[in-house]
Amino acid sequence: MEMAVGPVAAAPHAADRIDGVWRSDGYGTVLSIEDGRLQEYQATAVSCLRGNTARRTGQGGSGSVIYTGDDATVYRIRPAADGAAATLHFDGSVGDRRLLRLPALPAGCAKAAPTGALATFDVFWQTFEDNYPFFAAKKIDWQAVRDRYRPRVYDGMPGTELFALLREMVLPLNDAHVGIDAGDTGGFGQSRPGTMIPGPGLDRQAQAFVEQHDLVGTRLRTFANGRIGYARLPDGTGYQRISGFGGYDGNSPAYARNSAILDQTLSQVIRPGLRGLVLDLRIHGGGSDALALQVAERLTDRAYVAYAKRARNDPTDPGRHTHPQPVRVQPAPDRFRYTGPVAVLTGGETYSVGETLTQALKQRPARTVRIGQNTKASSRTFWSASSRTAGPSACRTRTVCSRGHQPQPRDGHFRDTEQPLSELGFWLDFCAE
């Protein structure tokens, strides 16, 4: 593990080259770094709001410097040789962000954030205007939304009324990666009509149903704080249910801890003797893309490109994006790797990283089939990174900034079907081919 707690005396030259102000290419983020402290800002054309803070906690590989936030977020920043650019990596992410040095903090970042309902509305609308990449795909005229709703906002507007209006604005996006956190006033998240937002209650119900009906009374062994279940069926088929990639340790949200627990779990369930593997992602609330790739790495003996990521990076031009970053699956070193047939079960409650794992397994160079319904995303693209901004009236928005692109399917290895899990004859025939 590449992290140490406490003062860091090593490699002051790397830290010195990182000190200063940086703007990310995409994501609307500005970082101010000085004397071992990192302050994050979320900047739009009309606002600059303080975000997370972190302190320098260590030195990583390739000349990077590590900063750790109070929420256990780990930033790894690697300066370029000329000092004019740098690379930012978050533990748990599958991609990097490019940082460009600024001469000074934008003027708006040094001012107190404006208050009142109109200011909150303007920051909320502008955050989507600058960052959201799917207005065209969803046929939403965001300027027309502003023209319709802003006249209804007035200073002194009750928080409950403003929250209801903002919720109404984004509801047509039908996007599980868009949310509002208004503290005691309320919160908003959504699911596709006819589906439910995954949560602990739904998860428990689903596990009980699977044990009683699909596994005919076989009880699942549970791992990772109950988020992973597994059973080896009498015919040698493994059934693995994953409800999320994170939350594996109730005492630590750190990515490194979650990764270690997942590694231990996979070593106990992905073992020699498997005749086939059913990977159930039907009730899946999301989490870390990097943890999802750990699963894919146990299911191949050949490296391959899973997908590519890019982010919108021009607030005035929704058509401009960062250069796509290929995301590769590397066979897990020094671990047993299963290369037989895999069935991936999906449904309307397969959210976020459940979808990116499905995309990654689509390119798996071994027999793979998807069984079930369409996942949460309404389009055939997915997105896995988000940026948060805090509005001046304690209203926080979560907006999507990045999207993924899938390479063309190869060799017919991936097949879609609407067959239910109960039709196990399909699965058995598939394994026998």
Side-chain angles (χ1 to χ4, degrees):
M1 180 176 175
E2 296 181 290
M3 188 174 77
V5 176
V8 177
H13 60 285
D16 290 344
R17 287 191 289 125
I18 287 174
D19 279 5
V21 180
W22 302 89
R23 176 181 61 81
S24 67
D25 186 18
Y27 301 96
T29 303
V30 173
L31 302 179
S32 177
I33 304 173
E34 185 177 6
D35 296 332
R37 302 290 296 182
L38 180 152
Q39 176 65 59
E40 185 175 332
Y41 296 87
Q42 298 298 326
T44 73
V46 301
S47 63
C48 184
L49 306 174
R50 282 179 176 265
N52 295 336
T53 59
R55 63 189 179 93
R56 190 167 72 237
T57 53
Q59 181 183 359
S62 303
S64 65
V65 179
I66 301 172
Y67 296 80
T68 304
D70 295 336
D71 61 354
T73 298
V74 176
Y75 304 70
R76 297 175 185 268
I77 302 177
R78 185 178 70 252
D82 62 3
T87 299
L88 168 63
H89 180 82
F90 290 102
D91 279 12
S93 174
V94 296
D96 296 330
R97 301 185 188 184
R98 183 169 176 248
L99 300 178
L100 302 173
R101 188 180 289 278
L102 297 179
L105 196 65
C109 299
K111 299 178 181 178
T115 60
L118 281 169
T120 298
F121 177 93
D122 288 341
V123 172
F124 183 89
W125 183 87
Q126 195 71 47
T127 298
F128 284 84
E129 171 70 8
D130 288 1
N131 295 289
Y132 193 73
F134 297 116
F135 288 129
K138 295 174 180 290
K139 297 180 172 58
I140 299 290
D141 184 339
W142 193 237
Q143 181 63 52
V145 171
R146 175 185 173 86
D147 295 343
R148 175 184 175 188
Y149 284 95
R150 197 176 191 279
R152 294 166 49 183
V153 181
Y154 57 94
D155 282 331
M157 187 178 192
T160 53
E161 188 177 337
L162 178 61
F163 170 75
L165 181 142
L166 299 179
R167 178 186 182 278
E168 186 179 329
M169 285 172 60
V170 296
L171 191 62
L173 296 176
N174 189 30
D175 192 326
H177 282 83
V178 169
I180 305 173
D181 178 3
D184 294 339
T185 300
F188 166 72
Q190 66 182 137
S191 61
R192 192 174 63 210
T195 67
M196 301 174 65
I197 296 177
L202 180 60
D203 194 36
R204 288 191 294 269
Q205 294 178 39
Q207 179 169 325
F209 182 90
V210 165
E211 290 176 338
Q212 181 178 354
H213 295 277
D214 295 331
L215 302 181
V216 198
T218 299
R219 296 294 299 273
L220 294 175
R221 297 168 59 198
T222 57
F223 306 85
N225 203 23
R227 305 214 71 185
I228 299 176
Y230 182 80
R232 178 72 71 93
L233 305 183
D235 68 348
T237 297
Y239 169 86
Q240 184 174 19
R241 183 172 178 272
I242 303 178
S243 63
F245 287 108
Y248 296 162
D249 184 337
N251 298 317
S252 174
Y255 166 76
R257 177 60 179 155
N258 281 273
S259 177
I261 292 173
L262 180 59
D263 181 66
Q264 295 165 7
T265 299
L266 294 175
S267 292
Q268 293 184 65
V269 301
I270 307 296
R271 299 175 63 86
L274 277 179
R275 177 172 177 257
L277 178 65
V278 177
L279 182 60
D280 192 346
L281 304 176
R282 289 176 295 177
I283 309 296
H284 193 287
S288 162
D289 285 303
L291 293 179
L293 288 188
Q294 282 187 231
V295 175
E297 290 166 356
R298 296 294 188 104
L299 303 179
T300 183
D301 59 359
R302 284 188 282 161
Y304 65 93
V305 175
Y307 49 84
K309 282 184 65 174
R310 66 177 185 171
R312 181 180 164 185
N313 68 346
D314 187 336
T316 64
D317 184 356
R320 293 189 61 181
H321 299 84
T322 59
H323 187 72
Q325 293 186 49
V327 176
R328 296 183 62 82
V329 174
Q330 300 286 350
D334 304 320
R335 300 289 189 271
F336 171 74
R337 300 187 295 267
Y338 170 72
T339 58
V342 172
V344 182
L345 310 185
T346 66
E349 285 79 21
T350 305
Y351 275 55
S352 186
V353 180
E355 296 172 283
T356 64
L357 177 56
T358 302
Q359 295 275 13
L361 294 177
K362 179 176 180 177
Q363 299 301 310
R364 178 176 177 259
R367 295 187 59 77
T368 307
V369 63
R370 184 184 70 85
I371 303 175
Q373 300 171 326
N374 290 338
T375 61
K376 169 62 183 116
S378 57
S379 69
R380 291 191 178 271
T381 59
F382 60 83
W383 45 93
S384 57
S386 58
S387 75
R388 292 179 176 270
T389 59
S393 295
C395 176
R396 292 172 63 85
T397 17
R398 183 175 71 249
T399 62
V400 177
C401 298
S402 66
R403 65 188 299 169
H405 297 269
Q406 186 68 47
Q408 291 297 313
R410 298 175 300 148
D411 304 327
H413 288 309
F414 180 78
R415 297 183 288 171
D416 287 301
T417 178
E418 293 296 324
Q419 303 215 28
L421 175 60
S422 58
E423 297 184 15
L424 287 178
F426 172 82
W427 166 243
L428 295 176
D429 289 343
F430 177 74
C431 289
E433 290 179 5

